[in-house]
Amino acid sequence: QVQLVESGGGLVQPGGSLRLSCVASGLNLDYYAIGWFRQAPGKTREGVSSISNSGGYTYYADSVKGRFTISRDNAKNTMYLQMNNLKPEDTAVYYCAADLDLELLFKQTRGYWGQGTQVTVSS
């Protein structure tokens, strides 16, 4: 019953922007920390950004600081990742995830995960 459905991925030129959305069903995001992760070909999956259920704490990987913004709209059961000034090294499959515990979410040891959406940054 629980599903996380992503949208907003696609092809974009370097310097462009995308906004990823993730709509959750079967769970109430009010209780969950959420995050975005990505995996590039030949690399391990890495945490990109996360936010606590209250929105009081946010985390960004050094590689995306100042360019990406995570947000949530609990009323819509939706999380977002605004990506600006995209670079070729941002190319990856992006996943949204949710967990009741922020630490466990970022450890990727459990939680609910979306199917992933491809983001390709290329001239």
Side-chain angles (χ1 to χ4, degrees), residues 37-84:
F37 301 78
R38 68 186 183 187
Q39 187 168 22
K43 297 185 178 180
T44 58
R45 190 169 62 188
E46 64 174 347
V48 176
S49 182
S50 60
I51 187 169
S52 61
N53 64 336
S54 67
Y57 171 85
T58 57
Y59 165 84
Y60 296 94
D62 288 343
S63 59
V64 307
K65 261 178 193 169
R67 300 189 296 120
F68 291 11
T69 304
I70 191 170
S71 62
R72 61 191 299 155
D73 187 342
N74 288 349
K76 299 175 68 174
N77 236 31
T78 301
M79 63 187 86
Y80 306 94
L81 184 68
Q82 178 66 46
M83 304 185 294
N84 297 326

Side-chain angles (χ1 to χ4, degrees), residues 8-14 16-18 20 41 83 86-94 117-123:
L11 299 171
V12 66
Q13 294 183 354
S17 298
L18 287 172
L20 305 183
M83 304 185 294
L86 283 160
K87 304 177 183 297
E89 52 264 41
D90 296 318
T91 296
V93 177
Y94 283 71
T117 185
Q118 178 71 48
V119 173
T120 302
V121 185
S122 179
S123 300

Side-chain angles (χ1 to χ4, degrees), residues 107-121:
K107 288 182 175 180
Q108 305 180 47
T109 56
R110 70 174 195 184
Y112 299 106
W113 292 79
Q115 294 288 102
T117 185
Q118 178 71 48
V119 173
T120 302
V121 185

